[in-house]
């Protein structure tokens, strides 16, 4: 039984306020990653791209969970959170639950915090705005959704946008 199914991807918001356009773009990429994982079993999700790389759809979900938590909850939200789980040790159902929870928490923070809010980023060693965090995460997802395209095609030949 597949862990991920019935993924609905929101369309882009072509006209709207800055916060709404950025959030919809990020939500589109979040759903695209899930769409690339849709219908696969755990073994397929853990299939690596090439040895010795750790890159797999499973690892992309895990990595982007940590990125969501860091950029929105820790950096923008000012929270002190540990890593969500150790790489490779959790079943896909747990990884998916952590991912969806992190995305929802990110949406709530984004809705509550102004784009101009400034916070310190340990990653860059300087202050960054909430706006920067949103744009950074859009770029992070765009890059990794490209990886997900290639991973999915190598698993079962499925291709798509």
């Amino acid at each position: 039984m597949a862990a991920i199914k019935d993924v609905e991807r929101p369309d882009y918001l072509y006209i709207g306020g800055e916060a709404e356009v950025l959030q919809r773009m990020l939500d589109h990429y979040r759903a695209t990653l899930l769409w690339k994982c849709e219908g696969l079993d755990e073994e397929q999700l853990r299939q690596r791209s090439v040895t010795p790389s750790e890159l797999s759809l499973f690892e992309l979900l895990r990595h982007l969970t940590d990125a969501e938590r860091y950029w929105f909850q820790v950096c923008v939200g000012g929270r002190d959170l540990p890593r969500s789980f150790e790489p490779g040790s959790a079943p896909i159902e747990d990884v998916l639950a952590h991912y969806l929870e992190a995305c929802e928490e990110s949406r709530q923070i984004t809705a509550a915090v102004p784009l101009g809010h400034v916070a310190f980023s340990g990653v860059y060693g300087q202050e960054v705005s909430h706006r920067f965090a949103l744009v950074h995460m859009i770029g992070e997802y765009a890059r990794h959704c490209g990886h997900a395209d290639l991973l999915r095609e190598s698993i079962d030949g499925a291709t798509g946008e």
Side-chain angles (χ1 to χ4, degrees):
M1 180 176 178
I4 302 170
K5 59 183 180 180
D6 302 323
V7 175
E8 292 185 29
R9 292 188 313 151
D11 198 6
Y12 300 122
L13 181 62
Y14 298 99
I15 299 172
E18 181 181 15
E20 294 81 16
V21 169
L22 291 172
Q23 184 63 48
R24 179 70 69 83
M25 180 72 70
L26 185 52
D27 278 340
H28 178 83
Y29 279 121
R30 287 171 176 147
T32 297
L33 178 64
L34 292 173
W35 178 53
K36 291 297 173 179
C37 297
E38 187 173 36
L40 299 177
D41 62 29
E42 186 158 344
E43 183 179 334
Q44 291 171 311
L45 290 168
R46 289 181 183 270
Q47 186 174 318
R48 293 180 180 176
S49 57
V50 289
T51 306
S53 174
E54 296 289 321
L55 185 62
S56 67
L57 290 167
F58 174 90
E59 287 301 319
L60 288 177
L61 283 168
R62 189 207 53 75
H63 166 70
L64 287 165
T65 299
D66 286 344
E68 290 276 354
R69 289 168 50 97
Y70 175 76
W71 283 103
F72 295 111
Q73 294 176 42
V74 174
C75 188
V76 175
R79 299 180 185 164
D80 185 21
L81 298 173
R83 284 181 59 103
S84 52
F85 45 82
E86 289 302 311
S89 65
I92 189 61
E93 290 80 12
D94 290 353
V95 172
L96 179 59
H98 283 284
Y99 175 76
L100 295 173
E101 179 183 295
C103 290
E104 184 54 36
E105 187 67 26
S106 296
R107 285 184 196 95
Q108 291 174 14
I109 290 168
T110 294
V113 177
L115 292 177
H117 171 77
V118 174
F120 184 78
S121 166
V123 171
Y124 291 108
Q126 66 180 38
E127 291 184 325
V128 298
S129 69
H130 180 196
R131 178 181 292 103
F132 174 85
L134 273 166
V135 172
H136 173 79
M137 284 299 291
I138 290 168
E140 186 84 0
Y141 271 94
R143 181 172 48 258
H144 292 313
C145 282
H147 296 138
D149 284 339
L150 296 172
L151 286 162
R152 180 62 189 250
E153 187 175 4
S154 73
I155 292 167
D156 65 1
T159 60
E161 144 189 6

